Amino acid sequence: MLFNSPEYFLAFLPLVVVCYFLLNSMGQVQAGRLGLVFASLFFYGYWNPVYLILIVGSMLVNFGISMLIHRLKQRPGPLLLNARALLVLGLVLNLGLLGYYKYSDFFIENINLAFDMQIPTLNLLLPLAISFFTFQQIAYLVDCYKSDVYEYDFISYCLFVSFFPQLVAGPIVHHKEMMPQFSDRHNTSVDIDNIARGILIFCIGLFKKVVVADTFAIWANAGFDTREPLSTFDAWVTSLSYTFQLYYDFSGYTDMAIGAALLFNIRLPINFNSPYKALNIQDFWRRWHMTLSRWLRDYLYIPLGGNRCGTGRMYFNLMTTFVLGGLWHGAGWTFIVWGAMHGSALVVHRLWEKGGRKMAALPAWALTFLFANFTWVFFRADTMEAATRILKSMVGFSNQAFVGSVEPFVQVNQVLGNAQPAAGGLLSALNPAVVFIAVFGLIAFLSRNSMEIASERTRFSIVDAVRVSGSLLLTLLLGIASSSTVFLYFNF
């Protein structure tokens, strides 16, 4: 069930909200939580019911380990049964589960290539959201070991892991920033302000996905999927289309997640803060997928030593963090290269700052955005060869003319009809691809983001809620008219 599908926003989400607050109004708060857990598991199992066993089993094991860790922290046991050993066991089990499903075939293929072997691949289907709920539970176990959190109620723990607005692709949340909100009595009743604000944010996200991201996908897919050489102009349109597709797709999903959670009076952490406005690569990672950046910092970079072990070790820790962060996104060398490039850029940025150098805002922004655009090519390409082909065309090392063929890349009526064009030239300056890049690029660069728009009013009234609902209906028409396409981060 997709956030941008009519069955989600016309049936599932409204029904769950009504039932949740109806149970709360009857004084059945625990039943309301249990209902949310079952609704979340239904949402997850809607994709493939078989994987319900996986997520439920993962929650049972992690909850059991966390309880044992808590008890042993209070009263240490035998040498071989201590809290640290249990934490290590939990980490091994979680990473082992993730590694088995996500990386088995990758490692088998590379072993076969390196040693000329013929080990058969497992051809496992990647379970939905396994990367996200694994990281979330790893964070919980570490925090439990540090005595930062403890959850004694299994239903509440299941709700923390499986809460459907953020289950599939984040934001990655901490127990201590979400579960106290469910325990707050003021959050058990309907809040018109949160309803209106949530609908507004959801509408913005839905528009980003069905109108903007899915249109950019036409040109991005056409360029990346073709095996024919692209002209320089076509290659830039391809890369920029994916750069904006990814931003509007993933930030749109996050907006819908935050908006849906607000309907339940739950405030999820902000995950995007206009990353394409960043003036350096460090600023970019403080704005892009912020909860993942926070997780990598707190549970990988700092435990490796952070910047406490000397300059050389700090640079090694940065590189290791981002290479593993790239590998988290996907089992492929393109993701590893993408992570290594960002790690290298952060090292260069640290050296630049250490030297006391300064760069004016405009060239600093342009350099940061162009670097992100170039590296997204590796993120999107299926193979290193495909990435190299696109990049060579972008810098002019192709046999194609700069402008390309006379036929436009795609006609306006094809865009509106969601057609799948073949890669071709982009002669016209008024071509839809160019117009889309210009318009929505400027919006990403200059306008307020969805969180700023939603927070500009201190309080929403019932009248405001009705107006926002009207905007939702218009956005729903767009959503219904379009095909419900999968979000990009569902692949990671």
Side-chain angles (χ1 to χ4, degrees), residues 168-224:
V168 178
I172 302 171
V173 299
H174 292 295
H175 181 279
K176 61 186 176 184
E177 68 186 350
M178 184 169 77
M179 294 316 296
Q181 297 184 67
F182 280 106
S183 301
D184 189 341
R185 290 180 58 190
H186 294 94
N187 288 339
T188 59
S189 56
V190 175
D191 187 318
I192 294 297
D193 177 68
N194 283 339
I195 293 289
R197 207 178 297 272
I199 292 174
L200 174 61
I201 296 172
F202 187 92
C203 284
I204 294 172
L206 186 59
F207 181 86
K208 284 181 180 180
K209 170 60 178 173
V210 303
V211 176
V212 185
D214 286 353
T215 302
F216 274 125
I218 298 172
W219 301 301
N221 293 340
F224 276 101

Side-chain angles (χ1 to χ4, degrees), residues 226-244:
T226 183
R227 294 183 177 274
E228 298 299 322
L230 296 174
S231 70
T232 301
F233 197 58
D234 288 350
W236 274 97
V237 167
T238 297
S239 67
L240 288 170
S241 293
Y242 182 71
T243 290
F244 291 118

Side-chain angles (χ1 to χ4, degrees), residues 1-5 47 128 168-169 209-210 213-214 217 221 245-246 249-250 253 256 483-492:
M1 191 184 307
L2 296 167
F3 279 10
N4 53 322
S5 63
W47 304 88
L128 188 68
V168 178
K209 170 60 178 173
V210 303
D214 286 353
N221 293 340
Q245 179 201 357
L246 183 62
D249 189 282
F250 193 26
Y253 176 92
M256 283 186 270
S483 59
S484 298
T485 57
V486 174
F487 292 84
L488 292 176
Y489 258 72
F490 283 19
N491 298 318
F492 308 138

